[in-house]
Amino acid sequence: MYKTDITKLREEYNTMKECADRNSLGLDSDRKNNDESNLLNNNIKIRSQNETLANARSAIAGKSAFVLFYHEMLVFNMKSQ
């Protein structure tokens, strides 16, 4: 009796653990709308990443323009002295 209880509990634990792992990865055991929701989630994540990259590019371009301007001013001041 004791061994069968432990075996059942282990099986239940493993099943629940696998289900939790699959859910955390976005792999639900019932796949009715899972593919569509995964695609939607992926599209949202990609859109967010693209916005982040665009913001980073914009910030770098602005800083590069400032550095170039500052460098040109330094060169101009050195030549005029």
Side-chain angles (χ1 to χ4, degrees), residues 34-49:
N34 193 32
D35 291 339
E36 290 177 8
S37 66
N38 279 342
L39 288 174
L40 181 61
N41 288 337
N42 288 341
N43 286 339
I44 291 169
K45 289 176 186 176
I46 289 171
R47 187 177 308 122
S48 174
Q49 290 173 352

Side-chain angles (χ1 to χ4, degrees), residues 43-71:
N43 286 339
I44 291 169
K45 289 176 186 176
I46 289 171
R47 187 177 308 122
S48 174
Q49 290 173 352
N50 285 338
E51 290 173 4
T52 301
L53 289 172
N55 291 338
R57 286 186 192 108
S58 171
I60 290 172
K63 289 178 182 178
S64 297
F66 173 78
V67 170
L68 182 61
F69 172 75
Y70 189 72
H71 177 70

